[in-house]
Amino acid sequence: MLIDGPSLLALAVVLGAVVYYVFFRNVWLARRMKPLVEMLDAGTARLEGGRLSGAYSGKRVWFEYRAQTRAGPAAMRIGVACASSHSFRIHKKAESLQPAERACLANLEEGTLQSVKSGDPLWDSELALAAEGEASFRRWINRPDVHETVGTIALRPLTTILLCEDGALWAVYPAASAEAVFQDRFAREALDELVSLSETLG
């Protein structure tokens, strides 16, 4: 079947726009990720699509940038490999979140996690906790070193979600907060916290 002139032109415009978008996005993202690449151990950085992977002080880590779509808002995720015996999710309570943060949270699958209380009145008034294996999770979360680090990550204005799933510990930064992660100093501090926390899981 032959394609007429106007249809061929329209197809060329659409294909051109897609190629330009993909190229522009990759170039833009590579430029934005440069400070993060330089933080990683020499020779370990790999940037594919919106994911930068590599090693940080010998630990497997990831930075994932997710552009805004109809399904959810833009978000940046920092992940660190861990050997966790349980999955969990910690975030500020929905009523205290901005609309973009709520949308980011709604975009996560509920899975088999059950609501858990930490026993800390401040946390239980401000944070929502869910986990598999309530008893082991509560023992872990109430260790003084863990409690302090989790509180630092989850209660700061920029972080919305801290979660552990599929062998990785993640901090999720939605919308405008994601911009801070592209800064070397913030990203390094966030990675140090996640690495420290990941070492308590097992």
Side-chain angles (χ1 to χ4, degrees):
M1 184 177 78
L2 295 175
I3 302 176
D4 60 23
S7 297
L8 191 59
L9 179 61
L11 180 61
V13 168
V14 169
L15 286 175
V18 169
V19 169
Y20 175 79
Y21 170 77
V22 170
F23 175 76
F24 178 79
R25 180 178 179 274
N26 286 345
V27 169
W28 173 84
L29 197 55
R31 188 175 298 134
R32 297 302 308 276
M33 291 276 197
K34 189 177 179 193
L36 306 180
V37 169
E38 293 172 354
M39 285 172 38
L40 300 178
D41 297 350
T44 65
R46 299 286 179 271
L47 180 59
E48 296 178 10
R51 172 182 270 213
L52 170 64
S53 61
Y56 180 75
S57 299
K59 193 91 170 177
R60 185 88 175 138
V61 300
W62 302 271
F63 292 93
E64 287 185 359
Y65 179 76
R66 297 184 178 182
Q68 182 168 338
T69 64
R70 290 180 185 174
M76 186 75 168
R77 295 161 49 108
I78 300 178
V80 176
C82 69
S84 177
S85 57
H86 46 254
S87 297
F88 62 82
R89 184 176 62 248
I90 302 169
H91 56 83
K92 298 179 189 76
K93 291 195 171 176
E95 58 268 22
S96 68
L97 300 178
Q98 298 298 317
E101 294 173 316
R102 279 197 206 106
C104 189
L105 183 59
N107 219 26
L108 292 176
E109 294 183 11
E110 286 298 317
T112 58
L113 303 183
Q114 302 295 318
S115 180
V116 176
K117 295 288 185 186
S118 72
D120 180 321
L122 172 64
W123 274 31
D124 292 335
S125 68
E126 295 191 22
L127 295 175
L129 294 84
E132 289 178 341
E134 179 175 353
S136 61
F137 176 75
R138 285 189 65 167
R139 280 195 301 274
W140 174 76
I141 201 75
N142 285 310
R143 283 177 44 179
D145 57 332
V146 171
H147 199 75
E148 181 179 356
T149 306
V150 169
T152 299
I153 297 170
L155 290 172
R156 71 162 49 106
L158 290 175
T159 313
T160 295
I161 306 157
L162 181 65
L163 56 95
C164 186
E165 59 183 11
D166 302 326
L169 178 65
W170 296 91
V172 183
Y173 306 85
S177 301
E179 290 300 309
V181 182
F182 287 116
Q183 307 304 314
D184 173 85
R185 182 178 172 193
F186 182 89
R188 193 177 297 276
E189 288 176 359
L191 262 184
D192 286 340
E193 289 167 348
L194 286 172
V195 167
S196 173
L197 195 58
S198 73
E199 289 170 352
T200 69
L201 290 161

